[in-house]
Coordinates of all heavy atoms in Angstrom, one line a residue:
M1 N 0.8 -1.2 0.0 CA 0.0 0.0 0.0 C 0.9 1.2 0.0 O 1.3 1.8 1.0 CB -0.9 0.0 1.2 CG -1.9 1.0 1.2 SD -3.3 0.5 2.3 CE -3.5 2.0 3.2
A2 N 1.2 1.7 -1.2 CA 2.1 2.9 -1.3 C 1.3 4.2 -1.3 O 0.1 4.2 -1.8 CB 2.9 2.8 -2.6
I3 N 1.9 5.2 -0.9 CA 1.3 6.6 -0.9 C 1.9 7.3 -2.0 O 3.1 7.5 -2.2 CB 1.6 7.3 0.5 CG1 0.9 6.6 1.6 CG2 1.1 8.7 0.4 CD1 1.3 7.1 3.0
D4 N 1.0 7.8 -2.9 CA 1.3 8.7 -4.0 C 1.5 10.1 -3.5 O 0.6 10.7 -3.0 CB 0.3 8.6 -5.1 CG 0.6 9.5 -6.3 OD1 1.8 9.9 -6.4 OD2 -0.3 9.7 -7.1
P5 N 2.8 10.6 -3.6 CA 3.0 12.0 -3.0 C 2.2 13.1 -3.7 O 1.7 14.0 -3.0 CB 4.5 12.2 -3.3 CG 5.1 10.9 -3.5 CD 4.0 10.0 -4.0
L6 N 1.9 12.9 -5.0 CA 1.1 13.9 -5.7 C -0.3 13.9 -5.2 O -0.9 15.0 -4.9 CB 1.1 13.7 -7.2 CG 0.5 14.7 -8.1 CD1 1.0 16.1 -7.8 CD2 0.6 14.3 -9.5
T7 N -0.9 12.7 -5.0 CA -2.2 12.6 -4.5 C -2.3 13.1 -3.0 O -3.3 13.8 -2.7 CB -2.7 11.1 -4.5 OG1 -2.7 10.7 -5.9 CG2 -4.1 11.0 -4.0
A8 N -1.3 12.8 -2.2 CA -1.3 13.3 -0.8 C -1.2 14.8 -0.8 O -1.9 15.4 0.0 CB -0.1 12.7 -0.1
A9 N -0.4 15.4 -1.7 CA -0.3 16.9 -1.7 C -1.6 17.5 -2.2 O -2.1 18.5 -1.6 CB 0.8 17.3 -2.6
A10 N -2.3 16.8 -3.1 CA -3.6 17.3 -3.6 C -4.6 17.3 -2.5 O -5.4 18.2 -2.4 CB -4.0 16.5 -4.8
V11 N -4.6 16.2 -1.7 CA -5.6 16.1 -0.6 C -5.4 17.2 0.4 O -6.3 17.8 0.9 CB -5.5 14.7 0.0 CG1 -6.3 14.6 1.3 CG2 -6.0 13.6 -0.9
V12 N -4.1 17.4 0.7 CA -3.8 18.5 1.7 C -4.3 19.8 1.2 O -4.9 20.6 1.9 CB -2.3 18.5 2.0 CG1 -1.9 19.8 2.8 CG2 -1.9 17.3 2.8
L13 N -4.0 20.1 -0.1 CA -4.4 21.4 -0.7 C -5.9 21.6 -0.8 O -6.4 22.6 -0.5 CB -3.7 21.6 -2.0 CG -2.2 21.8 -2.1 CD1 -1.7 21.9 -3.5 CD2 -1.9 23.1 -1.3
A14 N -6.6 20.5 -1.2 CA -8.0 20.5 -1.3 C -8.7 20.7 0.1 O -9.6 21.5 0.2 CB -8.5 19.3 -1.9
T15 N -8.2 20.0 1.1 CA -8.7 20.2 2.4 C -8.4 21.6 3.0 O -9.3 22.2 3.6 CB -8.1 19.1 3.4 OG1 -8.3 17.8 2.8 CG2 -8.7 19.2 4.7
A16 N -7.2 22.1 2.8 CA -6.9 23.5 3.2 C -7.8 24.5 2.5 O -8.3 25.4 3.2 CB -5.4 23.8 2.9
A17 N -8.0 24.3 1.3 CA -8.9 25.3 0.5 C -10.3 25.2 1.0 O -11.0 26.2 1.2 CB -8.8 25.0 -1.0
T18 N -10.8 24.0 1.2 CA -12.2 23.8 1.6 C -12.4 24.4 3.0 O -13.4 25.1 3.3 CB -12.6 22.3 1.6 OG1 -12.4 21.8 0.3 CG2 -14.0 22.1 2.1
D19 N -11.4 24.2 3.9 CA -11.6 24.7 5.3 C -11.4 26.2 5.3 O -12.1 26.9 6.0 CB -10.5 24.1 6.2 CG -10.9 22.7 6.7 OD1 -12.1 22.3 6.3 OD2 -10.2 22.1 7.4
A20 N -10.6 26.8 4.4 CA -10.4 28.2 4.3 C -11.7 28.9 3.9 O -12.2 29.9 4.4 CB -9.3 28.6 3.4
V21 N -12.4 28.3 2.9 CA -13.6 28.8 2.4 C -14.7 28.6 3.5 O -15.6 29.5 3.6 CB -14.0 28.1 1.1 CG1 -15.5 28.4 0.7 CG2 -13.1 28.5 0.0
Y22 N -14.7 27.5 4.2 CA -15.7 27.3 5.3 C -15.5 28.4 6.3 O -16.5 29.0 6.8 CB -15.5 26.0 5.9 CG -16.4 25.7 7.1 CD1 -17.8 25.6 6.9 CD2 -15.9 25.8 8.4 CE1 -18.6 25.4 8.0 CE2 -16.7 25.6 9.5 CZ -18.1 25.4 9.3 OH -18.9 25.2 10.4
V23 N -14.3 28.8 6.7 CA -14.1 29.9 7.6 C -14.6 31.2 7.1 O -15.3 32.0 7.8 CB -12.6 30.0 8.0 CG1 -12.3 31.3 8.8 CG2 -12.1 28.8 8.8
M24 N -14.4 31.5 5.8 CA -14.9 32.7 5.2 C -16.4 32.7 5.2 O -17.1 33.7 5.5 CB -14.4 32.9 3.8 CG -12.9 33.0 3.7 SD -12.3 34.5 4.7 CE -13.0 35.8 3.7
F25 N -17.0 31.5 4.9 CA -18.5 31.4 5.0 C -19.0 31.7 6.4 O -20.0 32.5 6.5 CB -18.9 30.0 4.5 CG -20.3 29.7 4.8 CD1 -21.4 30.2 4.1 CD2 -20.6 28.8 5.8 CE1 -22.7 29.9 4.4 CE2 -22.0 28.4 6.1 CZ -23.0 29.0 5.4
T26 N -18.4 31.1 7.4 CA -18.8 31.3 8.7 C -18.7 32.7 9.2 O -19.6 33.3 9.8 CB -18.0 30.4 9.7 OG1 -18.2 29.0 9.3 CG2 -18.5 30.5 11.1
S27 N -17.6 33.4 8.8 CA -17.4 34.8 9.1 C -18.5 35.6 8.5 O -19.0 36.6 9.1 CB -16.0 35.2 8.6 OG -15.8 36.6 8.8
A28 N -18.8 35.3 7.2 CA -19.9 36.1 6.6 C -21.2 35.9 7.2 O -22.0 36.8 7.4 CB -20.0 35.7 5.1
V29 N -21.5 34.7 7.7 CA -22.7 34.4 8.4 C -22.8 35.1 9.7 O -23.8 35.8 10.1 CB -22.9 32.9 8.7 CG1 -24.0 32.6 9.6 CG2 -23.2 32.1 7.3
V30 N -21.7 35.1 10.5 CA -21.6 35.8 11.8 C -21.8 37.3 11.6 O -22.5 38.0 12.3 CB -20.3 35.5 12.5 CG1 -20.1 36.5 13.7 CG2 -20.2 34.1 12.9
A31 N -21.3 37.8 10.5 CA -21.4 39.3 10.2 C -22.8 39.6 9.5 O -23.1 40.7 9.3 CB -20.3 39.7 9.2
R32 N -23.6 38.5 9.3 CA -24.9 38.7 8.7 C -24.9 39.3 7.3 O -25.7 40.2 7.0 CB -25.9 39.4 9.6 CG -26.1 38.6 10.9 CD -27.2 39.2 11.7 NE -27.4 38.5 13.0 CZ -28.3 37.5 13.1 NH1 -29.1 37.2 12.1 NH2 -28.5 37.0 14.3
K33 N -23.9 38.9 6.5 CA -23.8 39.5 5.1 C -24.3 38.4 4.2 O -23.6 37.4 4.0 CB -22.3 39.8 4.9 CG -21.9 41.0 5.8 CD -20.5 41.4 5.4 CE -20.1 42.6 6.3 NZ -18.8 43.1 5.9
R34 N -25.5 38.6 3.6 CA -26.1 37.6 2.8 C -25.4 37.2 1.6 O -25.2 36.0 1.3 CB -27.5 38.1 2.5 CG -28.4 38.1 3.7 CD -29.8 38.6 3.3 NE -29.8 40.0 3.1 CZ -30.8 40.8 2.8 NH1 -32.0 40.2 2.7 NH2 -30.7 42.1 2.7
V35 N -25.0 38.2 0.7 CA -24.4 37.9 -0.5 C -23.0 37.2 -0.3 O -22.8 36.1 -1.0 CB -24.3 39.1 -1.5 CG1 -23.5 38.8 -2.7 CG2 -25.7 39.6 -1.8
P36 N -22.1 37.7 0.5 CA -20.9 37.0 0.8 C -21.1 35.6 1.3 O -20.4 34.6 0.9 CB -20.1 37.9 1.7 CG -20.7 39.2 1.5 CD -22.1 39.0 1.2
A37 N -22.1 35.4 2.3 CA -22.3 34.1 2.8 C -22.8 33.2 1.7 O -22.3 32.0 1.7 CB -23.4 34.2 3.9
A38 N -23.7 33.6 0.9 CA -24.2 32.8 -0.2 C -23.1 32.4 -1.2 O -23.0 31.3 -1.7 CB -25.4 33.5 -0.9
T39 N -22.3 33.4 -1.5 CA -21.2 33.2 -2.4 C -20.2 32.2 -1.9 O -19.7 31.2 -2.6 CB -20.5 34.5 -2.8 OG1 -21.5 35.3 -3.4 CG2 -19.4 34.3 -3.8
W40 N -19.7 32.4 -0.6 CA -18.8 31.5 0.0 C -19.4 30.1 0.1 O -18.7 29.1 -0.1 CB -18.3 32.0 1.3 CG -17.3 33.1 1.3 CD1 -17.5 34.4 1.7 CD2 -16.0 33.0 0.7 NE1 -16.3 35.1 1.4 CE2 -15.4 34.3 0.8 CE3 -15.3 32.0 0.0 CZ2 -14.1 34.6 0.3 CZ3 -14.0 32.3 -0.4 CH2 -13.5 33.5 -0.3
S41 N -20.7 30.0 0.3 CA -21.3 28.7 0.4 C -21.2 27.9 -0.9 O -20.9 26.7 -1.0 CB -22.8 28.8 0.8 OG -23.4 27.6 0.8
S42 N -21.5 28.7 -2.0 CA -21.4 28.0 -3.3 C -20.0 27.6 -3.7 O -19.8 26.5 -4.2 CB -22.0 28.9 -4.4 OG -21.2 30.0 -4.6
V43 N -19.0 28.4 -3.3 CA -17.6 28.1 -3.5 C -17.2 26.8 -2.7 O -16.5 25.9 -3.2 CB -16.7 29.2 -3.2 CG1 -15.2 28.8 -3.2 CG2 -16.9 30.4 -4.1
W44 N -17.7 26.8 -1.5 CA -17.5 25.6 -0.6 C -18.0 24.4 -1.2 O -17.3 23.3 -1.3 CB -18.2 25.9 0.7 CG -18.1 24.9 1.8 CD1 -17.2 23.9 1.9 CD2 -18.9 24.8 2.9 NE1 -17.4 23.2 3.1 CE2 -18.5 23.7 3.7 CE3 -20.0 25.5 3.4 CZ2 -19.1 23.3 4.9 CZ3 -20.6 25.2 4.6 CH2 -20.1 24.1 5.3
Y45 N -19.2 24.4 -1.8 CA -19.7 23.2 -2.5 C -19.0 22.9 -3.7 O -18.9 21.7 -4.1 CB -21.2 23.4 -2.7 CG -22.0 22.9 -1.6 CD1 -22.3 23.7 -0.5 CD2 -22.4 21.5 -1.5 CE1 -23.0 23.3 0.6 CE2 -23.1 21.1 -0.4 CZ -23.4 21.9 0.6 OH -24.1 21.5 1.7
V46 N -18.5 23.8 -4.5 CA -17.7 23.5 -5.7 C -16.5 22.8 -5.3 O -16.1 21.8 -5.9 CB -17.4 24.8 -6.5 CG1 -16.4 24.5 -7.5 CG2 -18.7 25.3 -7.1
L47 N -15.8 23.3 -4.2 CA -14.6 22.6 -3.8 C -14.8 21.2 -3.2 O -14.0 20.3 -3.4 CB -13.9 23.4 -2.7 CG -13.2 24.7 -3.1 CD1 -12.7 25.5 -2.0 CD2 -12.1 24.4 -4.1
S48 N -16.0 21.0 -2.6 CA -16.3 19.7 -2.0 C -17.1 18.8 -2.9 O -17.7 17.8 -2.5 CB -16.9 19.8 -0.7 OG -18.1 20.5 -0.8
S49 N -17.1 19.2 -4.2 CA -18.0 18.5 -5.1 C -17.5 17.2 -5.7 O -18.1 16.5 -6.5 CB -18.3 19.4 -6.3 OG -17.1 19.7 -7.0
Y50 N -16.3 16.8 -5.2 CA -15.7 15.5 -5.7 C -16.7 14.4 -5.5 O -16.8 13.5 -6.4 CB -14.4 15.2 -5.0 CG -13.8 13.9 -5.4 CD1 -13.2 13.8 -6.6 CD2 -13.9 12.8 -4.5 CE1 -12.7 12.6 -7.0 CE2 -13.4 11.6 -4.9 CZ -12.8 11.5 -6.1 OH -12.2 10.3 -6.5
A51 N -17.4 14.3 -4.4 CA -18.4 13.2 -4.2 C -19.5 13.2 -5.2 O -19.9 12.2 -5.7 CB -19.0 13.3 -2.8
V52 N -19.9 14.4 -5.6 CA -21.0 14.5 -6.6 C -20.5 13.9 -7.9 O -21.2 13.1 -8.6 CB -21.4 16.0 -6.8 CG1 -22.4 16.1 -8.0 CG2 -22.1 16.5 -5.6
I53 N -19.3 14.3 -8.3 CA -18.7 13.8 -9.6 C -18.5 12.3 -9.4 O -18.8 11.5 -10.4 CB -17.4 14.5 -9.9 CG1 -17.7 16.0 -10.2 CG2 -16.7 13.8 -11.1 CD1 -16.4 16.8 -10.3
S54 N -18.0 11.8 -8.3 CA -17.8 10.4 -8.1 C -19.0 9.6 -8.2 O -19.0 8.5 -8.8 CB -17.1 10.1 -6.7 OG -15.9 10.8 -6.7
Y55 N -20.1 10.0 -7.6 CA -21.4 9.3 -7.6 C -22.1 9.4 -8.9 O -22.8 8.5 -9.3 CB -22.2 9.6 -6.5 CG -21.6 9.2 -5.1 CD1 -21.3 10.1 -4.2 CD2 -21.4 7.9 -4.9 CE1 -20.7 9.7 -3.0 CE2 -20.8 7.4 -3.7 CZ -20.5 8.4 -2.7 OH -20.0 8.0 -1.6
T56 N -22.1 10.5 -9.6 CA -22.9 10.7 -10.8 C -22.1 10.5 -12.1 O -22.6 10.3 -13.1 CB -23.5 12.1 -10.8 OG1 -22.5 13.1 -10.9 CG2 -24.4 12.3 -9.6
E57 N -20.8 10.7 -12.0 CA -19.9 10.6 -13.1 C -20.2 11.7 -14.2 O -19.9 11.5 -15.3 CB -19.8 9.2 -13.7 CG -19.3 8.2 -12.8 CD -19.3 6.8 -13.4 OE1 -19.6 6.6 -14.6 OE2 -18.8 5.8 -12.7
N58 N -20.8 12.8 -13.7 CA -21.1 13.9 -14.6 C -20.9 15.2 -13.9 O -21.6 15.5 -13.0 CB -22.6 13.7 -15.1 CG -22.9 14.7 -16.1 OD1 -22.2 15.7 -16.3 ND2 -24.0 14.5 -16.8
S59 N -19.9 15.9 -14.3 CA -19.4 17.1 -13.5 C -20.4 18.2 -13.7 O -20.3 19.2 -13.0 CB -18.1 17.5 -14.0 OG -18.0 17.8 -15.4
I60 N -21.4 18.2 -14.6 CA -22.3 19.3 -14.7 C -23.2 19.5 -13.5 O -23.6 20.6 -13.2 CB -23.3 19.1 -16.0 CG1 -24.0 20.4 -16.3 CG2 -24.2 17.9 -15.7 CD1 -23.2 21.5 -16.7
Y61 N -23.3 18.4 -12.7 CA -24.1 18.5 -11.5 C -23.4 19.4 -10.4 O -24.1 19.8 -9.5 CB -24.4 17.1 -10.9 CG -25.3 16.3 -11.7 CD1 -24.9 15.3 -12.5 CD2 -26.7 16.6 -11.8 CE1 -25.8 14.5 -13.3 CE2 -27.6 15.9 -12.6 CZ -27.1 14.9 -13.4 OH -27.9 14.2 -14.2
V62 N -22.2 19.6 -10.6 CA -21.5 20.5 -9.7 C -22.1 21.9 -9.7 O -22.2 22.6 -8.7 CB -19.9 20.6 -10.0 CG1 -19.2 21.6 -9.2 CG2 -19.3 19.2 -9.7
A63 N -22.4 22.4 -10.9 CA -23.1 23.7 -11.1 C -24.4 23.7 -10.4 O -24.7 24.7 -9.7 CB -23.3 24.0 -12.6
F64 N -25.2 22.6 -10.4 CA -26.4 22.6 -9.7 C -26.2 22.6 -8.2 O -27.0 23.2 -7.5 CB -27.3 21.4 -10.1 CG -27.8 21.5 -11.5 CD1 -27.1 20.8 -12.5 CD2 -28.8 22.3 -11.9 CE1 -27.5 20.9 -13.9 CE2 -29.3 22.3 -13.2 CZ -28.6 21.6 -14.2
A65 N -25.2 21.9 -7.7 CA -24.9 21.9 -6.3 C -24.5 23.3 -5.9 O -24.9 23.8 -4.8 CB -23.7 21.0 -6.0
A66 N -23.7 24.1 -6.7 CA -23.3 25.4 -6.3 C -24.5 26.4 -6.3 O -24.6 27.2 -5.4 CB -22.3 25.9 -7.3
I67 N -25.4 26.2 -7.3 CA -26.6 27.1 -7.3 C -27.5 26.8 -6.1 O -28.0 27.7 -5.4 CB -27.4 26.9 -8.6 CG1 -26.6 27.4 -9.8 CG2 -28.8 27.5 -8.6 CD1 -27.1 27.0 -11.2
G68 N -27.7 25.5 -5.8 CA -28.5 25.2 -4.6 C -27.9 25.7 -3.3 O -28.6 26.2 -2.5
S69 N -26.6 25.6 -3.2 CA -25.9 26.1 -2.0 C -26.1 27.6 -1.9 O -26.3 28.1 -0.8 CB -24.4 25.7 -2.1 OG -23.7 26.3 -1.1
W70 N -25.9 28.3 -3.0 CA -26.0 29.8 -3.0 C -27.4 30.2 -2.6 O -27.6 31.0 -1.7 CB -25.7 30.4 -4.3 CG -25.4 31.8 -4.3 CD1 -24.2 32.4 -4.3 CD2 -26.3 32.9 -4.3 NE1 -24.3 33.8 -4.2 CE2 -25.6 34.1 -4.2 CE3 -27.7 33.0 -4.3 CZ2 -26.2 35.4 -4.2 CZ3 -28.3 34.2 -4.3 CH2 -27.6 35.4 -4.2
L71 N -28.4 29.5 -3.2 CA -29.8 29.9 -2.9 C -30.1 29.5 -1.4 O -30.8 30.3 -0.7 CB -30.8 29.1 -3.8 CG -30.7 29.6 -5.3 CD1 -31.6 28.6 -6.1 CD2 -31.2 31.0 -5.4
G72 N -29.7 28.4 -0.9 CA -30.0 28.0 0.4 C -29.3 28.9 1.5 O -30.0 29.4 2.4
A73 N -28.1 29.3 1.2 CA -27.4 30.2 2.2 C -28.0 31.6 2.1 O -28.3 32.2 3.2 CB -25.9 30.3 1.8
Y74 N -28.4 32.1 0.9 CA -29.0 33.4 0.8 C -30.3 33.4 1.5 O -30.7 34.4 2.2 CB -29.1 33.8 -0.7 CG -29.6 35.2 -0.8 CD1 -28.6 36.3 -0.8 CD2 -30.9 35.6 -1.0 CE1 -29.0 37.6 -1.0 CE2 -31.3 36.9 -1.1 CZ -30.4 37.9 -1.1 OH -30.8 39.2 -1.2
A75 N -31.2 32.4 1.3 CA -32.5 32.4 1.9 C -32.4 32.3 3.4 O -33.1 33.0 4.1 CB -33.3 31.2 1.3
T76 N -31.5 31.5 3.9 CA -31.3 31.4 5.3 C -30.8 32.7 5.9 O -31.3 33.1 7.0 CB -30.3 30.3 5.7 OG1 -30.8 29.1 5.1 CG2 -30.1 30.1 7.2
M77 N -29.9 33.4 5.3 CA -29.4 34.6 5.8 C -30.5 35.7 5.7 O -30.6 36.5 6.6 CB -28.2 35.1 5.0 CG -26.9 34.3 5.2 SD -26.4 34.2 7.0 CE -26.0 35.9 7.2
T78 N -31.4 35.6 4.7 CA -32.5 36.6 4.6 C -33.4 36.3 5.8 O -33.9 37.3 6.5 CB -33.2 36.4 3.3 OG1 -32.3 36.7 2.3 CG2 -34.4 37.3 3.2
F79 N -33.7 35.1 6.1 CA -34.6 34.7 7.2 C -34.0 35.2 8.6 O -34.7 35.7 9.4 CB -34.8 33.2 7.3 CG -35.6 32.8 8.5 CD1 -36.9 33.0 8.7 CD2 -34.9 32.1 9.5 CE1 -37.6 32.6 9.8 CE2 -35.6 31.7 10.6 CZ -36.9 32.0 10.8
L80 N -32.7 35.0 8.7 CA -32.0 35.3 10.0 C -31.7 36.8 10.1 O -31.5 37.3 11.2 CB -30.6 34.6 10.1 CG -30.7 33.1 10.3 CD1 -29.3 32.5 10.3 CD2 -31.5 32.7 11.5
H81 N -31.8 37.6 9.0 CA -31.5 39.0 9.0 C -32.5 39.7 9.8 O -33.7 39.7 9.5 CB -31.4 39.6 7.6 CG -31.0 41.0 7.6 ND1 -29.7 41.4 7.9 CD2 -31.6 42.1 7.3 CE1 -29.6 42.7 7.8 NE2 -30.7 43.1 7.4
R82 N -32.1 40.4 10.9 CA -33.0 41.2 11.7 C -32.4 42.5 11.9 O -31.2 42.7 11.9 CB -33.2 40.5 13.1 CG -33.8 39.1 13.0 CD -35.3 39.2 12.7 NE -36.0 38.0 12.8 CZ -36.3 37.3 11.7 NH1 -36.1 37.7 10.5 NH2 -37.0 36.1 11.8
P83 N -33.3 43.5 12.2 CA -32.7 44.9 12.5 C -31.9 44.8 13.7 O -32.1 44.0 14.6 CB -34.0 45.7 12.7 CG -35.1 45.0 12.1 CD -34.7 43.5 12.2
P84 N -30.8 45.7 13.8 CA -29.9 45.7 14.9 C -30.7 46.0 16.2 O -31.7 46.8 16.2 CB -29.0 46.8 14.6 CG -29.0 47.0 13.2 CD -30.4 46.6 12.7
G85 N -30.3 45.4 17.3 CA -30.9 45.7 18.6 C -32.1 44.8 18.9 O -32.6 44.7 20.0
G86 N -32.6 44.0 17.9 CA -33.7 43.1 18.2 C -33.2 41.8 18.7 O -32.0 41.5 18.7
P87 N -34.1 41.0 19.2 CA -33.6 39.7 19.8 C -33.2 38.8 18.6 O -33.7 38.8 17.5 CB -34.9 39.1 20.4 CG -36.0 39.8 19.7 CD -35.5 41.1 19.3
P88 N -32.2 37.9 18.9 CA -31.8 36.9 17.9 C -32.9 36.0 17.6 O -33.8 35.7 18.4 CB -30.6 36.2 18.5 CG -30.6 36.6 20.0 CD -31.5 37.8 20.2
V89 N -32.8 35.4 16.4 CA -33.8 34.4 15.9 C -33.8 33.3 16.9 O -32.7 32.8 17.3 CB -33.5 33.9 14.5 CG1 -34.4 32.8 14.1 CG2 -33.6 35.0 13.5
G90 N -35.0 32.8 17.4 CA -35.1 31.7 18.3 C -35.1 32.1 19.7 O -35.2 31.3 20.6
A91 N -34.8 33.4 20.0 CA -34.8 33.9 21.4 C -36.2 33.8 22.0 O -37.2 34.1 21.3 CB -34.2 35.3 21.5
A92 N -36.3 33.5 23.3 CA -37.6 33.5 23.9 C -38.1 34.9 24.1 O -37.4 35.8 24.4 CB -37.5 32.8 25.3
V93 N -39.4 35.1 23.9 CA -40.1 36.3 24.0 C -40.4 36.5 25.5 O -40.9 35.7 26.2 CB -41.4 36.4 23.2 CG1 -42.1 37.7 23.4 CG2 -41.1 36.1 21.7
E94 N -40.0 37.7 26.0 CA -40.3 38.0 27.4 C -41.6 38.6 27.7 O -42.2 39.3 27.0 CB -39.2 38.9 28.0 CG -37.8 38.2 27.9 CD -36.7 39.1 28.5 OE1 -37.0 40.1 29.2 OE2 -35.6 38.8 28.2

């Protein structure tokens, strides 16, 4: 069971890129910025789309995964967006 150095390096780079994008996505969510959060979400799915290609053997589905991710993140951020000073979503009403 030999380790291919090129494959190992590619795995390290892909994981690093995916985690970096995840951090950017989380930062945009915390800052409640809808468009950046949605955009980072779609980039995150494009980077992690290897499974989609592996299971479907058709890379065109990556575009659909990215579109769905963008729409989902944008809709969620829209739902969570509240005027400053109000209670957070899910907070108990006093």
Side-chain angles (χ1 to χ4, degrees):
M1 189 158 132
I3 294 175
D4 180 15
L6 185 58
T7 301
V11 168
V12 169
L13 290 174
T15 305
T18 301
D19 282 356
V21 169
Y22 176 72
V23 169
M24 296 302 293
F25 167 73
T26 303
S27 176
V29 168
V30 169
R32 296 186 182 267
K33 296 184 177 185
R34 291 179 285 182
V35 172
T39 301
W40 282 118
S41 177
S42 67
V43 171
W44 180 19
Y45 270 88
V46 167
L47 288 174
S48 60
S49 64
Y50 176 73
V52 173
I53 296 170
S54 295
Y55 291 119
T56 65
E57 297 181 359
N58 187 344
S59 60
I60 194 65
Y61 292 107
V62 173
F64 292 101
I67 291 167
S69 173
W70 196 98
L71 292 172
Y74 187 86
T76 302
M77 291 301 297
T78 298
F79 172 74
L80 292 176
H81 185 70
R82 298 287 187 256
V89 172
V93 179
E94 296 182 17

